[in-house]
Amino acid sequence: MESLDLRSASQIRNAHESNTNGSDQSVNLPAVRTDDTAASASEEFVDASSDFDINYVDSHSLLNIVNEPSMSVDESSTSSSTLPEPEPILSYFADEHRGGSSSRVFLTPNGTKFWKPNVDESLVPVIGTVFASWDDVVALYDTYAEESGFSTRLGTHRKVHDVTTSRIIKCNRSGKPQLKRFDSTDPAALSKFKSSRSQMCGCTACIRVKFDPESKSYTLYSFVDYHNHEMYGKEFIEFSKKRRKVDFTTHQFVHEMSLHKIGPNISHRVQCTLKGGHQNVRGTVTDYKNISRDIRLFIGDRDAQMILDTLRSRSENLHNFFFEYVVDGHELRSLFWADDVSRCNYETFGDVLAFDATYKTNQYCMIFVPFTGVDHHKKCVTFGAALLFDESTESYTWLLQTFLKAHGKQPRLVLTDQDAAMEKAIIAVFTSSTHRLCMWHIMRKLPANVTGGVVENTDLRKRIHKLVWNLIIDQDTFEEKWAALIDEFDLSSNTWLQQMFAIRSDWVPCYFRDIPMCCLMKTTSRCESSNALFKVNSSASNTLLQFLMCFDTAIDGQRYNQRKMEFDTNMTTPVLRTPSPIEKHASTLYTLSIFKEVQKEIDRSVNYCSIGETRILGDTKIYTVAHTNKQFKHVNQFEVTFDTVNHTVECGCMCFTRIGYLCRHVFHVFRFNQINRIPDRYISNRWLRNALPNRVYEIANRYSVDNSEAGVIRRDIMDTVCQCSDRLRRDPTRLAAFSNQLKDIKRQIFSEVPYNPEHERTSAIISDILHQPEFGTSTFKPPQGIRNKGCGTGKRMVGPGEKAVENFKKGPRFCKMCNQYVYGHDSRNCAKVQAALRAAAADSDTVGNSGCPGTSSGVSDLPPAHDTSTSVASSSRTRALRATRRAAARSVMQSTRVAEQSPTTRDI
């Protein structure tokens, strides 16, 4: 067997090279301490005569093998000295290979193993090497460690007059684990002990460098390359400490994925897919989870201050951005904001407005209220948003007043659900608006309020729906048919139907026929759709700042769809169905979505409409236009009044008033009178192609992306690299050359821009991502104690039977007062439970309730038993009581068995 001495790395290499291959002789080399001018420090050696624990080698034991030089080195010494002469021997044992890593294993005389990495000589640190910067030192040892199969971490450093004179980089497994002490004879302490693990094993492998203030350079004066632990193979390199360190790009990726409600697990899988496997991904799933945790910790109690600072910055730097808030004792209560795009949308499409409250969008339970309308593509558009403390009339009044302050005009029609606070606020603020209730919220209550099997066993629901959703009938016809339905099904005494009929002018469509755009929204379904859109991105665990970012992401998605439809409208030409010139004219006016609706009316005016009767009153002609279905069966007919002089027209179906474009009956009359263009008075501006100014589509109005100069350049660099790699994907030679060019650029940048640990701290990275200061004062605090109807209790009612079953599942507890194992109580509440059970036993003679603390039963919190002869009003309660008694009986039996088997002394 071959035996080698360990002193310094260079001496070990020379000794190993001079050794004969396959020699069985042990080579005993003297332990010599030398001081030369290059290192100015002592070199390490191995003391093989030390006594080691074969299972664990701590740092003090290893120091008996590897005598490390003191940190306070006498750099002026140039003389040689000889240390005491223990015979330092490490015997070569075997070569160990793990994947792409290799190491030589050595044994001490008592069998303790040590591992020396077997890597390329060019990567091994050499004592006396001078480095121009600290980054070069770190890069050298990190490269060596990665090839060897271990991780590194920074050790201690020494300062003299605030100048760093020496620094250490250690093996990541250096140091001793902190052992938890507990009394193994104490069952309570044993139950609290949790098994843990530690990477520390006392390894002393390291390098030491000293700093020269004059030349600003670092000199390596000590290198220990023996480890008391195994090296890991390259197949496990992704779990090393260096590879698990999450960089800025990964932080940003996880954060941006969270804004789309994508958690750390899926984010990690996406990264593995994008980067070609787990080995190319920095960090584990746990590290990704910690990123979200660190972001929330960074925000902390500065949440309200951060969201207000963000909105204030937008107000100062962006055109026409508006926000307003209310605080109560430095606590944020209400907040409203609307940017230039929202205000432009309201200016054009604000004739009909709907808003509804939604919950569980932030961790403070603040109520989120978005204002929703319909744009010229018939898609939802947001006019503004708010966060409220509560749903009181005062809060909604402030909200609507602020909304009016931001937009400057009232809507024609406001649509909400049956919220009393909203209704009072709308009446007080929107004095010239018409308030309308959501039909869907009312009709969904029909089965719950009309009982007795009428809804299930008859066609009442179908006939009521057909009546209330009819857009054509007048008010008198509606009231007559409603009364007929009530009489037919004998519902005159139904209170809910009477209440709905009393407020019929607030929700039945025929009472809104004269209001422009009254049929644009008849329900709050668009509000529900918008709320669902925002909830896709946000969650109840978000802070206010995170919620704002999720809101920006959802809004950007909404505006992306709007831009896409605008592009399709301007860049495509629709296919015409008829040879009518008026259809071609309509195709140049309206957006693609609206033109499809108008085209349908023009097509049916040609194929399914006919004039039955014509009356002439001076310059006015009155046509009776009938229309049929696709089977050419008569459906309905309407009178169309047409002025032959100024070409004004009016139809009995009131389609233009209700929706904003002409109906099939009017188009048929125009065709009959050879009018080939839609008159200007019947062209609604809200449906035109260029309804919005071009500035609403600018990139500056997209808040979910980093529009800073550095952010734009970083994305451009990534795109450039991807495009080049895509172009060279079938040319491996040039692709390798391109990779080498990038590495050369990387080396140049790293040499010119030194590593700054202050910029790589987690808090600094999060500060750059959130665009918030790393340190700052907080004037405003988040709201606390919000309880609204959307919060929920988080609990459900539990019956007595279920309680008894759950108590039975719990193990017995030792009561020091009873001196035995019992169920449902302990020594803290024994007296109280005993008194309660005695009182219950006095009121009832049931055996199941007679057990009390101190007896063999040990039943503590069982409800008093009821007389079985007494009739029970509900069968469910009877079953619950029976389950309670059965569980009580089982508890008594089990408690008795435990008490018989357990000792009765208190010294258990």
Side-chain angles (χ1 to χ4, degrees):
M1 179 178 291
E2 180 183 358
S3 299
L4 292 180
D5 172 40
L6 172 63
R7 290 176 293 168
S8 68
S10 58
Q11 291 172 339
I12 284 294
R13 288 197 300 271
N14 296 332
H16 177 63
E17 293 172 356
S18 62
N19 228 354
T20 58
N21 295 329
S23 174
D24 292 333
Q25 298 293 327
S26 297
V27 181
N28 299 331
L29 300 179
V32 179
R33 172 175 175 173
T34 60
D35 296 306
D36 55 25
T37 56
S40 299
S42 299
E43 296 181 343
E44 290 76 19
F45 65 93
V46 175
D47 182 4
S49 63
S50 301
D51 189 16
F52 288 91
D53 182 1
I54 194 169
N55 296 319
Y56 178 78
V57 182
D58 61 11
S59 58
H60 294 285
S61 300
L62 190 60
L63 282 175
N64 292 328
I65 292 183
V66 182
N67 293 327
E68 298 181 343
S70 172
M71 292 297 296
S72 56
V73 179
D74 185 7
E75 300 181 0
S76 61
S77 176
T78 58
S79 62
S80 300
S81 61
T82 303
L83 295 179
E85 188 68 35
E87 296 256 333
I89 298 176
L90 280 180
S91 301
Y92 170 75
F93 177 67
D95 283 346
E96 188 174 274
H97 301 277
R98 289 181 177 271
S101 300
S102 173
S103 57
R104 297 172 62 84
V105 184
F106 294 86
L107 293 178
T108 62
N110 63 355
T112 302
K113 291 184 178 181
F114 286 88
W115 287 260
K116 177 186 176 183
N118 188 12
V119 299
D120 187 85
E121 294 292 332
S122 61
L123 301 177
V124 179
V126 178
I127 293 179
T129 305
V130 179
F131 302 90
S133 66
W134 173 249
D135 288 347
D136 295 338
V137 180
V138 175
L140 170 74
Y141 201 53
D142 283 350
T143 304
Y144 169 74
E146 187 171 310
E147 291 294 324
S148 302
F150 68 95
S151 300
T152 65
R153 62 183 173 91
L154 296 180
T156 58
H157 62 277
R158 184 182 181 185
K159 286 187 175 182
V160 177
H161 303 297
D162 293 332
V163 176
T164 300
T165 58
S166 60
R167 302 185 73 168
I168 305 176
I169 305 179
K170 298 181 177 181
C171 172
N172 189 47
R173 303 193 65 179
S174 64
K176 282 188 177 181
Q178 295 181 356
L179 301 179
K180 296 181 179 179
R181 297 183 178 274
F182 64 93
D183 187 0
S184 60
T185 62
D186 185 4
L190 186 61
S191 63
K192 295 180 180 179
F193 174 75
K194 295 182 179 180
S195 60
S196 60
R197 57 188 179 181
S198 174
Q199 291 187 354
M200 296 182 179
C201 64
C203 181
T204 57
C206 66
I207 62 171
R208 287 184 171 89
V209 296
K210 65 177 182 178
F211 178 69
D212 185 2
E214 296 181 358
S215 61
K216 305 295 183 182
S217 62
Y218 292 85
T219 303
L220 193 152
Y221 70 86
S222 175
F223 171 44
V224 181
D225 56 351
Y226 277 71
H227 300 256
N228 66 344
H229 56 84
E230 298 180 4
M231 305 292 106
Y232 56 77
K234 290 186 177 181
E235 61 271 17
F236 299 104
I237 196 171
E238 66 260 31
F239 303 111
S240 64
K241 183 179 179 182
K242 292 295 182 182
R243 286 297 183 94
R244 287 188 59 178
K245 183 174 177 57
V246 183
D247 54 13
F248 173 84
T249 303
T250 305
H251 273 86
Q252 190 176 43
F253 174 79
V254 175
H255 169 67
E256 291 176 351
M257 295 291 278
S258 69
L259 299 183
H260 295 272
K261 213 174 183 178
I262 298 176
N265 286 284
I266 298 179
S267 299
H268 191 267
R269 294 204 296 267
V270 171
Q271 280 280 61
C272 292
T273 302
L274 294 176
K275 294 191 175 183
H278 293 80
Q279 70 278 6
N280 298 323
V281 177
R282 288 187 173 272
T284 62
V285 175
T286 302
D287 299 324
Y288 277 42
K289 292 179 180 179
N290 293 339
I291 292 175
S292 300
R293 176 207 62 189
D294 293 338
I295 290 176
R296 288 187 173 90
L297 290 176
F298 177 87
I299 296 174
D301 57 358
R302 296 191 295 159
D303 193 10
Q305 186 67 49
M306 286 183 177
I307 189 174
L308 292 179
D309 291 344
T310 300
L311 295 178
R312 185 177 293 107
S313 175
R314 293 181 183 179
S315 177
E316 294 173 353
N317 300 314
L318 298 178
H319 172 70
N320 209 22
F321 189 93
F322 177 89
F323 88 104
E324 197 164 300
Y325 60 94
V326 175
V327 293
D328 183 9
H330 299 287
E331 186 176 298
L332 181 64
R333 290 290 178 141
S334 300
L335 176 64
F336 172 83
W337 68 95
D339 66 344
D340 181 51
V341 178
S342 298
R343 300 175 80 172
C344 288
N345 283 325
Y346 183 78
E347 181 67 27
T348 306
F349 313 121
D351 39 13
V352 180
L353 170 69
F355 67 95
D356 189 19
T358 187
Y359 313 94
K360 296 182 180 180
T361 59
N362 56 87
Q363 65 183 15
Y364 308 104
C365 298
M366 292 191 77
I367 305 156
F368 175 54
V369 185
F371 292 86
T372 307
V374 181
D375 67 359
H376 55 325
H377 301 288
K378 273 200 169 180
K379 297 296 182 181
C380 293
V381 63
T382 302
F383 300 143
L387 290 170
L388 300 180
F389 183 84
D390 56 24
E391 293 184 280
S392 62
T393 304
E394 292 76 13
S395 295
Y396 280 121
T397 301
W398 173 87
L399 175 59
L400 296 183
Q401 289 174 347
T402 307
F403 180 89
L404 195 59
K405 180 180 178 181
H407 294 292
K409 70 174 184 178
Q410 298 183 19
R412 290 198 186 103
L413 188 66
V414 181
L415 188 66
T416 66
D417 57 12
Q418 288 180 280
D419 188 281
M422 285 184 183
E423 184 176 2
K424 292 179 182 179
I426 290 171
I427 294 174
V429 180
F430 290 160
T431 55
S432 61
S433 302
T434 302
H435 181 212
R436 180 175 181 176
L437 300 179
C438 173
M439 293 180 61
W440 180 81
H441 280 90
I442 293 176
M443 295 310 298
R444 72 192 291 250
K445 300 176 183 177
L446 180 64
N449 290 279
V450 180
T451 57
V454 178
V455 176
E456 292 79 7
N457 301 326
T458 65
D459 61 346
L460 174 64
R461 176 189 292 185
K462 178 181 178 181
R463 294 172 64 180
I464 287 184
H465 275 267
K466 184 177 180 180
L467 175 61
V468 300
W469 287 94
N470 196 322
L471 305 176
I472 299 174
I473 63 174
D474 55 20
Q475 300 175 12
D476 295 335
T477 305
F478 170 80
E479 293 174 1
E480 291 175 2
K481 291 187 176 183
W482 179 278
L485 279 175
I486 297 298
D487 293 339
E488 180 180 349
F489 293 96
D490 194 19
L491 297 174
S492 58
S493 60
N494 189 287
T495 305
W496 182 79
L497 289 175
Q498 292 176 1
Q499 293 175 352
M500 293 303 100
F501 184 74
I503 62 171
R504 61 190 180 279
S505 60
D506 293 338
W507 62 280
V508 180
C510 65
Y511 289 87
F512 298 91
R513 294 182 65 194
D514 298 332
I515 301 176
M517 299 295 169
C518 63
C519 289
L520 198 59
M521 286 192 290
K522 298 182 288 294
T523 68
T524 58
S525 59
R526 289 188 178 270
C527 285
E528 302 291 344
S529 176
S530 295
N531 294 346
L533 171 68
F534 294 124
K535 281 193 173 183
V536 165
N537 297 84
S538 184
S539 67
S541 62
N542 280 342
T543 62
L544 295 180
L545 183 62
Q546 287 175 314
F547 166 74
L548 179 63
M549 293 180 175
C550 292
F551 173 83
D552 293 339
T553 302
I555 284 292
D556 281 357
Q558 184 186 90
R559 293 173 180 175
Y560 168 80
N561 293 332
Q562 189 182 60
R563 294 196 306 272
K564 178 67 168 57
M565 300 194 75
E566 190 74 11
F567 176 82
D568 292 341
T569 296
N570 295 328
M571 295 293 109
T572 58
T573 302
V575 178
L576 304 181
R577 293 184 181 180
T578 67
S580 174
I582 204 169
E583 181 184 3
K584 184 175 182 180
H585 179 231
S587 67
T588 62
L589 294 175
Y590 299 111
T591 61
L592 200 59
S593 302
I594 299 303
F595 172 71
K596 290 180 180 179
E597 302 291 333
V598 176
Q599 186 183 44
K600 185 188 298 183
E601 296 296 326
I602 296 174
D603 177 62
R604 293 184 178 181
S605 71
V606 174
N607 298 315
Y608 300 102
C609 290
S610 61
I611 296 176
E613 182 183 354
T614 303
R615 290 176 294 163
I616 301 176
L617 299 176
D619 295 334
T620 303
K621 294 181 180 181
I622 302 175
Y623 299 94
T624 302
V625 181
H627 68 266
T628 62
N629 56 20
K630 292 184 179 181
Q631 289 74 33
F632 298 100
K633 294 182 179 180
H634 179 78
V635 176
N636 211 332
Q637 63 182 24
F638 295 93
E639 287 189 350
V640 180
T641 303
F642 177 67
D643 191 326
T644 58
V645 178
N646 54 18
H647 293 177
T648 58
V649 65
E650 182 178 353
C651 180
C653 71
M654 303 183 69
C655 180
F656 180 75
T657 303
R658 291 185 290 109
I659 307 177
Y661 51 80
L662 296 174
C663 61
R664 66 194 68 177
H665 316 109
V666 173
F667 283 124
H668 188 77
V669 172
F670 281 173
R671 179 169 175 266
F672 184 79
N673 289 274
Q674 297 182 351
I675 298 177
N676 298 328
R677 296 176 63 88
I678 301 175
D680 292 342
R681 63 172 59 90
Y682 299 114
I683 300 175
S684 177
N685 292 331
R686 73 168 347 268
W687 300 130
L688 296 182
R689 287 171 172 259
N690 299 319
L692 292 173
N694 289 330
R695 73 172 187 271
V696 302
Y697 306 117
E698 293 177 354
I699 298 180
N701 294 318
R702 306 171 193 176
Y703 307 118
S704 65
V705 296
D706 183 10
N707 289 323
S708 64
E709 182 179 2
V712 173
I713 295 175
R714 289 182 71 249
R715 289 194 298 271
D716 183 61
I717 293 173
M718 298 297 294
D719 290 340
T720 303
V721 172
C722 289
Q723 291 174 14
C724 293
S725 61
D726 290 345
R727 182 64 61 88
L728 300 174
R729 69 183 184 276
R730 292 194 174 186
D731 190 348
T733 303
R734 300 193 64 180
L735 196 61
F738 176 63
S739 175
N740 293 331
Q741 291 177 0
L742 292 179
K743 291 178 181 179
D744 292 339
I745 295 175
K746 173 186 173 181
R747 282 191 289 268
Q748 180 182 356
I749 292 175
F750 276 41
S751 63
E752 295 175 355
V753 181
Y755 174 82
N756 190 342
E758 291 296 321
H759 296 169
E760 303 304 322
R761 289 181 295 105
T762 301
S763 58
I765 292 175
I766 297 175
S767 175
D768 293 339
I769 293 174
L770 300 181
H771 303 287
Q772 298 292 335
E774 187 174 353
F775 306 102
T777 58
S778 178
T779 305
F780 303 106
K781 299 179 180 178
Q784 302 295 331
I786 296 180
R787 296 296 304 172
N788 292 297
K789 62 184 180 183
C791 297
T793 61
K795 299 180 180 179
R796 62 181 181 87
M797 297 184 65
V798 181
E802 188 175 353
K803 287 182 180 179
V805 172
E806 290 298 324
N807 290 333
F808 173 72
K809 292 179 180 178
K810 298 178 181 178
R813 305 177 68 179
F814 184 78
C815 178
K816 295 181 180 179
M817 302 295 295
C818 304
N819 201 25
Q820 64 181 3
Y821 283 93
V822 294
Y823 282 88
H825 78 276
D826 53 22
S827 58
R828 295 173 299 176
N829 55 5
C830 181
K832 182 185 296 185
V833 173
Q834 183 176 2
L837 290 178
R838 285 176 179 173
D843 297 336
S844 175
D845 294 333
T846 306
V847 178
N849 278 345
S850 62
C852 63
T855 67
S856 61
S857 66
V859 180
S860 63
D861 57 347
L862 301 178
H866 295 269
D867 189 359
T868 56
S869 62
T870 304
S871 61
V872 182
S874 172
S875 61
S876 61
R877 179 164 180 78
T878 303
R879 290 193 297 270
L881 291 173
R882 289 174 182 172
T884 303
R885 294 193 182 102
R886 289 195 298 268
R890 290 194 297 266
S891 300
V892 171
M893 294 176 62
Q894 182 173 355
S895 178
T896 303
R897 290 196 299 267
V898 173
E900 290 175 352
Q901 297 173 1
S902 62
T904 57
T905 61
R906 297 190 181 184
D907 298 330
I908 295 181

